[in-house]
Amino acid sequence: MKCVNGVKESKGYLDMLLKEGEILSDNQLWAFFNLAKHPHAQERLYKELEQVCGKKAVEEKDLGKLAYLKGIFYETVRRHSPLPLVPLRIVHEDVEIDGYHVPAGWEILINIWEANNYEGEWKNLEEWKLERQLEFSVEEDIYRTMVFGEGNRLCVGWAQLVKIASLVIGRIVQNFELKMPTGHKEDYDAIINTGSHKLRPLFSILTPRNV
Ligand code: HEM
């Protein structure tokens, strides 16, 4: 946080969050890209927000009633896995995984992107298909995507991120209609290395609602 009167500037968690808040994360960008490409989904989300929040801006306490918004978040991170690979694991003892022998001392790399894009698990996996997310109950959140890992090393920021990203997506859609510019091309290209990022900037037309 910046301090006044010559007191030294200190850096804390809040500073980090505020700094990160200056730009949209890739989750939010991909969500807006998909919403602009799927006007029916966007309209359905707008109606859901209107039904639950009326004219008020969506708040954290509303999120439990917004199943469609939740689906948009999860389907976006499934389709565009933000963290394709997790850090290397060292195997401490011999194990058998799904018929494969993994000896102690090996290092293994878990491919989360593949888990989210595995044909045996997801039908039409290339599609940003919200219907598949609506089939999960609240207790089944863990099966919606592998994006936050699993087991002992499960992402501790998961719940926080779902809330922040959902509120940003919900508030933008409450206030603006997103459209693709005429003649836009398919633009799913991403740079995938330790993270996955949209290759080109998002071009979308935002029209204020209720003016
Ligand atoms: C799109 C955003 C995010 C994704 C995709 C993500 C994904 C992951 C994954 C896959 C892991 C497991 C890594 C492993 O198995 O070794 C992890 C761990 C972790 N994440 Fe996240 N994360 C995200 C955002 C956040 C945020 C916002 C926070 C904090 C506020 C956070 C804090 C952590 C921490 C502390 C761990 C380590 C947990 C442990 O090793 O016990 N993450 N994350």
Side-chain angles (χ1 to χ4, degrees), residues 13 16-17 25-27 73 77 81-89 110 112 146-158 160-162 164:
Y13 184 53
M16 186 272 286
L17 288 179
S25 75
D26 271 275
N27 301 332
F73 172 82
V77 289
S81 300
L83 192 71
L85 301 169
V86 294
L88 279 168
R89 301 276 202 274
I110 299 170
I112 290 196
M146 275 294 294
V147 90
F148 297 107
E150 178 53 277
N152 291 348
R153 297 261 83 90
L154 187 72
C155 176
V156 293
W158 176 11
Q160 185 188 15
L161 183 85
V162 178
I164 295 172

Side-chain angles (χ1 to χ4, degrees), residues 1 3-4 7 84 95 111 119 127 137 151 155 171:
M1 193 158 296
C3 300
V4 284
V7 181
V95 278
N111 187 341
E119 281 187 350
E127 281 176 39
S137 67
C155 176
R171 287 195 182 186

Side-chain angles (χ1 to χ4, degrees), residues 2 9 33 36 57 89 94 111 124 128 130 137 175 189 203:
K2 284 222 162 59
E9 184 178 308
F33 169 75
R89 301 276 202 274
D94 289 4
N111 187 341
N124 304 323
W128 186 73
L130 299 173
S137 67
N175 289 290
D189 294 346
F203 287 106

Side-chain angles (χ1 to χ4, degrees), residues 92-105:
H92 291 286
E93 54 191 60
D94 289 4
V95 278
E96 199 83 9
I97 304 177
D98 206 19
Y100 293 92
H101 176 67
V102 187

Side-chain angles (χ1 to χ4, degrees), residues 135-174:
E135 289 167 11
F136 294 102
S137 67
V138 177
E139 296 75 35
E140 289 174 327
D141 279 356
I142 192 86
Y143 303 117
R144 289 170 176 265
T145 157
M146 275 294 294
V147 90
F148 297 107
E150 178 53 277
N152 291 348
R153 297 261 83 90
L154 187 72
C155 176
V156 293
W158 176 11
Q160 185 188 15
L161 183 85
V162 178
K163 284 180 191 156
I164 295 172
S166 303
L167 285 176
V168 174
I169 296 165
R171 287 195 182 186
I172 294 273
V173 170
Q174 277 184 314

